[in-house]
Amino acid sequence: MIRIRIHTLYIALFLIEYHSKFTLLIFNITVNIRLFEKVLFKNRTTGEELKCYDHHKYIVWTTSLWMNRLFTASYDCSVAYMTFDMLNETFSQPNIIEGPEDWVNAFGSDADAQFLATHDDESHDIRIWNISTLNINITLIGHTDDVHCIKFVRKEQLILTGGADKSVRLWDMTDGQCLRTLTGHEGIVWCLDINRHRIVAGGRYGEIRVWNRQCDPEFARSLWLHPRDTSIGRIRLEATQLITTDGLGAIAISDFWQTPMLNMSCGCKAV
């Protein structure tokens, strides 16, 4: 396992996305307790800054690259999109869509359209919106507390969610049916990811929970690759690696083949 530590006093890096030509960084700068959100394009080869946007008033929580468009969604309850031409290195001005009147938790897409997900603070329902029409396609009903993370699984038409009720839920994106409810976390679920073989979620107390998709949900494993006095901030599944970050500024990169506790099978009982 590889550990990387990043610590900055005034800058917090929220998201990183990669394009064949550029790296997209989403970060905020704190000046006199005020957050200034920046969306920054950088050349992947030279590191040169290509474009800097500051069109949102508060934290940009999620982004989506789709063809030659970048979509951004913020806790200021607005969605924006801009187009870019990497051949000529030109970028359009952001187009701002105000509303819906909830924080946007996630973006997703299928072959035809882009979607965003919002969470209702009172009912804890999740609404899936079509960006083109700003109409609600489906509503996901089942969580009993705040929802903190949503993942669209485009190829399988699935949605994965997790939150303060300590559960992870897998939904059918076409009809809103809950297909699986995964439990076992000691605390709030803050982040999650999924691939063909596994579902992973990170939460409070430095806990990472791993489920094998081909097994009964009871067969799972909790891992502590980070200290228990922090929370898992981001989690990502690669083909053979698990990448996690925590609130102390550490990044852990774990190899499924070289780390025995990650190489789980249906015989691994929940702990």
Short mmCIF file of all heavy atoms in Angstrom, two decimals, residues 61 75 105-106 117 119 126 143 146-152 159-164 167-169 171 188-193 200-202 233-235:
data_model
loop_
_atom_site.label_atom_id
_atom_site.label_comp_id
_atom_site.label_asym_id
_atom_site.label_seq_id
_atom_site.Cartn_x
_atom_site.Cartn_y
_atom_site.Cartn_z
N TRP A 61 -19.69 20.49 -5.78
CA TRP A 61 -19.67 19.17 -5.16
C TRP A 61 -19.51 18.05 -6.19
O TRP A 61 -19.05 16.97 -5.87
CB TRP A 61 -20.96 18.95 -4.37
CG TRP A 61 -20.94 17.73 -3.51
CD1 TRP A 61 -21.71 16.60 -3.64
CD2 TRP A 61 -20.10 17.49 -2.38
NE1 TRP A 61 -21.41 15.69 -2.66
CE2 TRP A 61 -20.41 16.22 -1.86
CE3 TRP A 61 -19.10 18.24 -1.75
CZ2 TRP A 61 -19.76 15.67 -0.77
CZ3 TRP A 61 -18.46 17.69 -0.65
CH2 TRP A 61 -18.80 16.42 -0.17
N TYR A 75 -23.30 23.61 -4.27
CA TYR A 75 -24.19 23.78 -3.12
C TYR A 75 -24.89 25.13 -3.14
O TYR A 75 -25.67 25.42 -2.23
CB TYR A 75 -23.39 23.62 -1.84
CG TYR A 75 -23.26 22.18 -1.37
CD1 TYR A 75 -23.62 21.12 -2.19
CD2 TYR A 75 -22.78 21.89 -0.10
CE1 TYR A 75 -23.49 19.81 -1.78
CE2 TYR A 75 -22.66 20.58 0.34
CZ TYR A 75 -23.01 19.54 -0.50
OH TYR A 75 -22.89 18.25 -0.08
N ASN A 105 -26.26 16.49 -5.55
CA ASN A 105 -25.36 15.49 -5.00
C ASN A 105 -24.54 14.76 -6.06
O ASN A 105 -23.45 14.28 -5.77
CB ASN A 105 -26.14 14.44 -4.21
CG ASN A 105 -26.81 15.02 -2.99
OD1 ASN A 105 -27.84 15.66 -3.11
ND2 ASN A 105 -26.23 14.83 -1.82
N ALA A 106 -25.06 14.63 -7.28
CA ALA A 106 -24.34 13.81 -8.25
C ALA A 106 -24.82 14.10 -9.66
O ALA A 106 -25.94 14.55 -9.87
CB ALA A 106 -24.53 12.33 -7.95
N ALA A 117 -28.71 14.38 -9.60
CA ALA A 117 -29.46 13.86 -8.47
C ALA A 117 -29.46 14.88 -7.35
O ALA A 117 -28.42 15.48 -7.05
CB ALA A 117 -28.85 12.55 -7.98
N HIS A 119 -31.14 15.71 -3.24
CA HIS A 119 -31.60 15.02 -2.04
C HIS A 119 -32.48 15.96 -1.23
O HIS A 119 -32.12 17.12 -1.01
CB HIS A 119 -30.37 14.58 -1.23
CG HIS A 119 -30.64 14.38 0.23
ND1 HIS A 119 -30.07 15.16 1.21
CD2 HIS A 119 -31.42 13.49 0.88
CE1 HIS A 119 -30.49 14.75 2.39
NE2 HIS A 119 -31.31 13.75 2.22
N ILE A 126 -34.50 10.88 -2.97
CA ILE A 126 -33.54 11.30 -3.98
C ILE A 126 -34.28 11.51 -5.29
O ILE A 126 -34.98 10.60 -5.76
CB ILE A 126 -32.43 10.25 -4.16
CG1 ILE A 126 -31.72 10.00 -2.82
CG2 ILE A 126 -31.43 10.68 -5.22
CD1 ILE A 126 -30.87 8.76 -2.82
N HIS A 143 -34.08 5.77 1.90
CA HIS A 143 -33.16 6.23 2.93
C HIS A 143 -33.94 6.90 4.08
O HIS A 143 -34.95 7.57 3.84
CB HIS A 143 -32.14 7.21 2.35
CG HIS A 143 -31.00 6.54 1.66
ND1 HIS A 143 -29.98 5.91 2.34
CD2 HIS A 143 -30.71 6.40 0.33
CE1 HIS A 143 -29.11 5.41 1.48
NE2 HIS A 143 -29.53 5.69 0.24
N ASP A 146 -30.03 11.71 6.04
CA ASP A 146 -29.41 12.45 4.95
C ASP A 146 -28.59 11.55 4.03
O ASP A 146 -27.89 10.65 4.49
CB ASP A 146 -28.50 13.55 5.51
CG ASP A 146 -29.28 14.69 6.12
OD1 ASP A 146 -30.50 14.76 5.89
OD2 ASP A 146 -28.67 15.52 6.81
N VAL A 147 -28.67 11.83 2.73
CA VAL A 147 -27.90 11.11 1.71
C VAL A 147 -26.68 11.95 1.36
O VAL A 147 -26.81 13.12 1.01
CB VAL A 147 -28.75 10.83 0.46
CG1 VAL A 147 -27.91 10.14 -0.62
CG2 VAL A 147 -29.96 9.99 0.83
N HIS A 148 -25.48 11.36 1.46
CA HIS A 148 -24.26 12.12 1.25
C HIS A 148 -23.52 11.77 -0.03
O HIS A 148 -22.63 12.51 -0.45
CB HIS A 148 -23.31 11.91 2.43
CG HIS A 148 -23.83 12.47 3.72
ND1 HIS A 148 -24.15 13.79 3.87
CD2 HIS A 148 -24.10 11.87 4.91
CE1 HIS A 148 -24.60 14.01 5.10
NE2 HIS A 148 -24.58 12.86 5.75
N CYS A 149 -23.83 10.64 -0.66
CA CYS A 149 -23.08 10.25 -1.86
C CYS A 149 -23.99 9.47 -2.81
O CYS A 149 -24.80 8.65 -2.38
CB CYS A 149 -21.85 9.42 -1.49
SG CYS A 149 -22.13 8.15 -0.25
N ILE A 150 -23.85 9.78 -4.09
CA ILE A 150 -24.64 9.15 -5.13
C ILE A 150 -23.73 8.85 -6.32
O ILE A 150 -22.95 9.70 -6.73
CB ILE A 150 -25.80 10.06 -5.59
CG1 ILE A 150 -26.71 10.41 -4.41
CG2 ILE A 150 -26.60 9.40 -6.71
CD1 ILE A 150 -27.78 11.42 -4.75
N LYS A 151 -23.84 7.65 -6.84
CA LYS A 151 -23.00 7.23 -7.97
C LYS A 151 -23.90 6.67 -9.07
O LYS A 151 -24.67 5.75 -8.84
CB LYS A 151 -22.01 6.16 -7.50
CG LYS A 151 -21.21 5.48 -8.60
CD LYS A 151 -20.02 6.31 -9.01
CE LYS A 151 -19.13 5.56 -10.00
NZ LYS A 151 -17.94 6.34 -10.37
N PHE A 152 -23.78 7.24 -10.28
CA PHE A 152 -24.50 6.71 -11.44
C PHE A 152 -23.63 5.64 -12.09
O PHE A 152 -22.44 5.85 -12.32
CB PHE A 152 -24.78 7.81 -12.46
CG PHE A 152 -25.87 8.76 -12.05
CD1 PHE A 152 -25.61 9.83 -11.21
CD2 PHE A 152 -27.17 8.59 -12.51
CE1 PHE A 152 -26.60 10.72 -10.83
CE2 PHE A 152 -28.17 9.47 -12.15
CZ PHE A 152 -27.88 10.54 -11.30
N ILE A 159 -28.02 3.08 -9.93
CA ILE A 159 -27.61 4.20 -9.08
C ILE A 159 -27.24 3.64 -7.72
O ILE A 159 -27.97 2.81 -7.16
CB ILE A 159 -28.74 5.24 -8.93
CG1 ILE A 159 -29.12 5.82 -10.30
CG2 ILE A 159 -28.32 6.37 -7.99
CD1 ILE A 159 -30.33 6.73 -10.26
N LEU A 160 -26.11 4.08 -7.19
CA LEU A 160 -25.64 3.64 -5.88
C LEU A 160 -25.66 4.84 -4.93
O LEU A 160 -25.17 5.92 -5.30
CB LEU A 160 -24.22 3.08 -6.00
CG LEU A 160 -23.62 2.36 -4.80
CD1 LEU A 160 -24.38 1.06 -4.51
CD2 LEU A 160 -22.15 2.06 -5.04
N THR A 161 -26.22 4.68 -3.73
CA THR A 161 -26.34 5.79 -2.79
C THR A 161 -25.92 5.36 -1.39
O THR A 161 -25.96 4.19 -1.05
CB THR A 161 -27.79 6.31 -2.72
OG1 THR A 161 -28.64 5.27 -2.21
CG2 THR A 161 -28.30 6.73 -4.09
N GLY A 162 -25.53 6.34 -0.58
CA GLY A 162 -25.16 6.06 0.81
C GLY A 162 -25.32 7.32 1.64
O GLY A 162 -25.34 8.44 1.11
N GLY A 163 -25.43 7.15 2.97
CA GLY A 163 -25.63 8.34 3.78
C GLY A 163 -25.60 8.11 5.27
O GLY A 163 -24.99 7.16 5.77
N ALA A 164 -26.29 9.01 5.98
CA ALA A 164 -26.23 9.04 7.44
C ALA A 164 -27.00 7.92 8.10
O ALA A 164 -26.87 7.72 9.32
CB ALA A 164 -26.74 10.39 7.94
N SER A 167 -26.34 3.10 5.61
CA SER A 167 -26.62 2.08 4.60
C SER A 167 -26.14 2.52 3.23
O SER A 167 -25.99 3.71 2.96
CB SER A 167 -28.13 1.78 4.53
OG SER A 167 -28.82 2.85 3.88
N VAL A 168 -25.90 1.53 2.37
CA VAL A 168 -25.61 1.73 0.96
C VAL A 168 -26.72 1.03 0.19
O VAL A 168 -27.06 -0.13 0.49
CB VAL A 168 -24.24 1.15 0.57
CG1 VAL A 168 -24.03 1.20 -0.93
CG2 VAL A 168 -23.12 1.90 1.30
N ARG A 169 -27.30 1.71 -0.77
CA ARG A 169 -28.44 1.14 -1.52
C ARG A 169 -28.16 1.18 -3.02
O ARG A 169 -27.63 2.15 -3.54
CB ARG A 169 -29.73 1.90 -1.19
CG ARG A 169 -30.12 1.79 0.28
CD ARG A 169 -31.27 2.70 0.66
NE ARG A 169 -31.46 2.72 2.10
CZ ARG A 169 -32.40 2.03 2.75
NH1 ARG A 169 -33.27 1.29 2.07
NH2 ARG A 169 -32.50 2.10 4.07
N TRP A 171 -29.95 0.94 -6.75
CA TRP A 171 -31.26 1.20 -7.36
C TRP A 171 -31.24 0.93 -8.86
O TRP A 171 -30.22 1.09 -9.52
CB TRP A 171 -31.65 2.66 -7.15
CG TRP A 171 -31.52 3.19 -5.78
CD1 TRP A 171 -30.38 3.65 -5.17
CD2 TRP A 171 -32.56 3.35 -4.80
NE1 TRP A 171 -30.64 4.08 -3.90
CE2 TRP A 171 -31.97 3.91 -3.64
CE3 TRP A 171 -33.94 3.08 -4.80
CZ2 TRP A 171 -32.72 4.21 -2.49
CZ3 TRP A 171 -34.66 3.37 -3.66
CH2 TRP A 171 -34.06 3.91 -2.51
N ILE A 188 -21.63 7.15 9.63
CA ILE A 188 -22.13 7.75 8.40
C ILE A 188 -21.30 7.29 7.20
O ILE A 188 -20.08 7.18 7.27
CB ILE A 188 -22.08 9.28 8.51
CG1 ILE A 188 -23.06 9.77 9.58
CG2 ILE A 188 -22.38 9.96 7.18
CD1 ILE A 188 -22.94 11.25 9.88
N VAL A 189 -21.98 7.05 6.07
CA VAL A 189 -21.31 6.73 4.81
C VAL A 189 -21.11 8.04 4.04
O VAL A 189 -22.08 8.75 3.75
CB VAL A 189 -22.14 5.74 3.96
CG1 VAL A 189 -21.47 5.49 2.61
CG2 VAL A 189 -22.33 4.43 4.72
N TRP A 190 -19.85 8.36 3.72
CA TRP A 190 -19.53 9.61 3.05
C TRP A 190 -19.22 9.46 1.56
O TRP A 190 -19.33 10.41 0.80
CB TRP A 190 -18.34 10.28 3.72
CG TRP A 190 -18.62 10.85 5.06
CD1 TRP A 190 -18.16 10.40 6.27
CD2 TRP A 190 -19.44 11.98 5.36
NE1 TRP A 190 -18.64 11.19 7.29
CE2 TRP A 190 -19.42 12.17 6.77
CE3 TRP A 190 -20.19 12.87 4.57
CZ2 TRP A 190 -20.13 13.19 7.40
CZ3 TRP A 190 -20.88 13.89 5.21
CH2 TRP A 190 -20.84 14.05 6.61
N CYS A 191 -18.78 8.28 1.13
CA CYS A 191 -18.36 8.11 -0.26
C CYS A 191 -18.51 6.65 -0.65
O CYS A 191 -18.52 5.75 0.21
CB CYS A 191 -16.92 8.59 -0.46
SG CYS A 191 -15.74 7.84 0.68
N LEU A 192 -18.58 6.39 -1.95
CA LEU A 192 -18.74 5.01 -2.43
C LEU A 192 -18.30 4.89 -3.88
O LEU A 192 -18.11 5.87 -4.58
CB LEU A 192 -20.19 4.54 -2.25
CG LEU A 192 -21.34 5.49 -2.61
CD1 LEU A 192 -21.49 5.67 -4.09
CD2 LEU A 192 -22.63 5.02 -1.99
N ASP A 193 -18.15 3.64 -4.30
CA ASP A 193 -17.82 3.36 -5.69
C ASP A 193 -18.23 1.93 -6.00
O ASP A 193 -18.53 1.13 -5.09
CB ASP A 193 -16.32 3.56 -5.97
CG ASP A 193 -16.03 3.83 -7.45
OD1 ASP A 193 -16.98 3.85 -8.25
OD2 ASP A 193 -14.85 4.01 -7.81
N VAL A 200 -17.79 -0.65 -2.81
CA VAL A 200 -17.01 -0.18 -1.67
C VAL A 200 -17.61 1.13 -1.17
O VAL A 200 -18.17 1.91 -1.95
CB VAL A 200 -15.52 0.03 -2.03
CG1 VAL A 200 -14.86 -1.30 -2.36
CG2 VAL A 200 -15.36 1.01 -3.17
N ALA A 201 -17.51 1.37 0.14
CA ALA A 201 -18.00 2.60 0.73
C ALA A 201 -17.09 3.00 1.87
O ALA A 201 -16.56 2.15 2.59
CB ALA A 201 -19.43 2.42 1.23
N GLY A 202 -16.90 4.30 2.02
CA GLY A 202 -16.07 4.83 3.10
C GLY A 202 -16.89 5.74 3.99
O GLY A 202 -17.81 6.42 3.53
N GLY A 233 -12.84 10.44 2.92
CA GLY A 233 -13.42 11.53 2.13
C GLY A 233 -13.76 11.16 0.71
O GLY A 233 -14.79 11.56 0.18
N ARG A 234 -12.88 10.38 0.07
CA ARG A 234 -13.10 9.94 -1.30
C ARG A 234 -12.64 8.49 -1.42
O ARG A 234 -11.69 8.07 -0.77
CB ARG A 234 -12.33 10.81 -2.31
CG ARG A 234 -12.95 12.17 -2.56
CD ARG A 234 -14.20 12.04 -3.41
NE ARG A 234 -14.76 13.34 -3.74
CZ ARG A 234 -15.70 13.95 -3.04
NH1 ARG A 234 -16.16 13.38 -1.94
NH2 ARG A 234 -16.19 15.12 -3.42
N ILE A 235 -13.32 7.74 -2.30
CA ILE A 235 -12.95 6.35 -2.53
C ILE A 235 -13.12 6.05 -4.01
O ILE A 235 -14.08 6.52 -4.65
CB ILE A 235 -13.81 5.41 -1.66
CG1 ILE A 235 -13.25 4.00 -1.64
CG2 ILE A 235 -15.27 5.41 -2.09
CD1 ILE A 235 -13.83 3.12 -0.54
#
